[in-house]
Amino acid sequence: MPSPRTLTCLAILPLLLAGCRSTTQDNPVGKPIAIKAPLGLPPVPVPADNPVTADSVDLGRRLFYDRRLSSDNSLACAHCHDPKFYFTDGLRLSKGVNDQLGVRNAPTLLNSAYMPFQFWDGRAISLEQQSVGPIANPVEMNNAKHEIFLDKLKDDAEYPPTASFTTSARV
């Protein structure tokens, strides 16, 4: 039987944890918007806990083209997923920071919302989970400490005031 001290600690723990919750909003700000499905495809799947809003689309677009996500401020997601090359880089093997050669090419992002998993090997089951992989990869963007690039972005007036840059990735 647990001691009275252990039982007291267990009883207080949920209260302490509830007090430690983040004060930032976890869900996108704004009114949800509909995404028109490409011709012949079913409706775009949207996670119930992460609705698409005009603000979240704007934030995603800004982040996609922001080079500060890489450790040396040289690469954005659009470097390997260039719209001019159908959201790939057109290379046999993609290049990361300091022109390091990767071990595979960048897959297209076209219709990736319909994929049941992300990455070539399926290790991420959502776009949200996928987004942190290339940023942390030492060959791709080499920014394993998310706090570093979050610090670069959090005081930037170019980002919408609703953007909440916290150190916890939503995955």
Side-chain angles (χ1 to χ4, degrees):
M1 169 126 183
S3 71
R5 182 175 181 184
T6 302
L7 290 174
T8 302
C9 287
L10 290 174
I12 293 174
L13 185 61
L15 297 173
L16 292 173
L17 292 175
C20 293
R21 283 191 298 185
S22 170
T23 58
T24 61
Q25 183 161 341
D26 287 337
N27 291 323
V29 174
K31 181 180 176 187
I33 60 172
I35 298 177
K36 186 177 178 186
L39 184 63
L41 292 176
V44 176
V46 176
D49 66 339
N50 192 13
V52 178
T53 68
D55 288 339
S56 67
V57 170
D58 181 53
L59 176 60
R61 182 177 291 114
R62 288 174 188 261
L63 289 168
F64 187 77
Y65 291 99
D66 198 324
R67 295 172 183 256
R68 292 174 295 175
L69 297 183
S70 64
S71 62
D72 63 358
N73 301 323
S74 66
L75 303 176
C77 300
H79 176 82
C80 291
H81 303 285
D82 190 330
K84 292 180 286 193
F85 296 109
Y86 303 99
F87 292 94
T88 72
D89 55 13
L91 301 174
R92 190 173 75 77
L93 298 174
S94 297
K95 291 182 181 179
V97 292
N98 301 317
D99 284 330
Q100 294 181 81
L101 206 56
V103 296
R104 60 188 65 88
N105 63 352
T108 183
L109 299 183
L110 293 176
N111 296 327
S112 60
Y114 291 101
M115 301 301 290
F117 53 82
Q118 305 297 315
F119 291 113
W120 289 110
D121 60 6
R123 68 183 173 271
I125 60 169
S126 70
L127 291 169
E128 291 83 1
Q129 283 184 349
Q130 183 281 331
S131 66
V132 297
I135 295 170
N137 185 295
V139 173
E140 295 180 42
M141 297 175 99
N142 192 31
N143 225 338
K145 295 189 179 194
H146 290 111
E147 296 84 9
I148 293 172
F149 75 81
L150 292 174
D151 283 343
K152 294 181 200 178
L153 303 178
K154 71 179 179 182
D155 296 324
D156 187 334
E158 292 291 315
Y159 279 96
T162 55
S164 173
F165 298 113
T166 63
T167 56
S168 63
R170 225 184 101 149
V171 292

